[in-house]
Amino acid sequence: MTLPPRPRPEPVQVIKLRRDAALSALIRAIPYVSFMGFQFDRRGDELTATMPYQDMLIGNPLLPALHGGATAGFLETTAVLELCWQTLWEDVEQGRILPADLEAGYVPKLPKTIDFTVDYLRTGLPRDAYARARVNRSGRRYASVHVEAWQDNRNRLLAQATGHFLMPERP
């Protein structure tokens, strides 16, 4: 008895292109990301967000220091994108969402913020900031996410936040 031959695995480049296209579609779905100039770098399943420094981000020109609202918006956007990315990536990999759908502009509904608590740990200097989010729990209706932001040294956090989100219904 001979077994049928196994299908060849997809080339890694094809998988990377599909994941990058999914992330780009997700980023385009949130206009605030482009307005603020946030950038997202994907390494495997991990996203690192960057808030490039711009003069409009300064809240206190005497110090100068980043505006707390810009920092909070950066953290919340990073949390939402990480939450969406985990769901979207899984749907794309399982074939529930096709790359052609993403290119056509289809993106699943985004989670809605229930609450978001920010701890400002130090003054944001006039330079780039980085953030990573960790999903603590994600169920059908509710998700909890923790986000950390830093500037020059990841061990010296600029701010951290915890958010709770209402998850959209999935088909």
Side-chain angles (χ1 to χ4, degrees), residues 30 32-33 36 38 40 47 49-51 66-83 113 115-122 129-134 145-151 157-165:
I30 305 172
Y32 184 69
V33 171
M36 293 296 287
F38 300 157
F40 292 85
L47 293 179
T50 304
M51 180 172 66
L66 293 179
H67 193 284
T71 302
F74 177 52
L75 291 169
E76 187 173 1
T77 302
T78 302
V80 168
L81 233 86
E82 178 66 33
L83 200 51
T113 304
D115 68 48
F116 199 75
T117 304
V118 179
D119 299 325
Y120 297 96
L121 304 174
R122 61 181 29 91
Y130 308 94
R132 283 199 185 134
R134 179 184 71 247
V145 182
H146 179 76
V147 191
E148 296 179 340
W150 68 94
Q151 288 187 304
L157 296 180
L158 162 68
Q160 64 183 5
T162 301
H164 302 105
F165 300 89

Side-chain angles (χ1 to χ4, degrees), residues 9-29:
E10 283 185 292
V12 174
Q13 268 322 96
V14 172
I15 295 169
K16 284 182 180 180
L17 288 173
R18 185 172 58 237
R19 290 177 183 169
D20 289 342
L23 181 59
S24 293
L26 181 58
I27 290 169
R28 283 192 309 271

Side-chain angles (χ1 to χ4, degrees), residues 136-156:
N136 294 327
R137 180 194 186 286
S138 180
R140 288 180 314 150
R141 298 183 43 93
Y142 163 86
S144 174
V145 182
H146 179 76
V147 191
E148 296 179 340
W150 68 94
Q151 288 187 304
D152 296 327
N153 182 346
R154 181 144 189 220
N155 294 323
R156 292 177 41 98

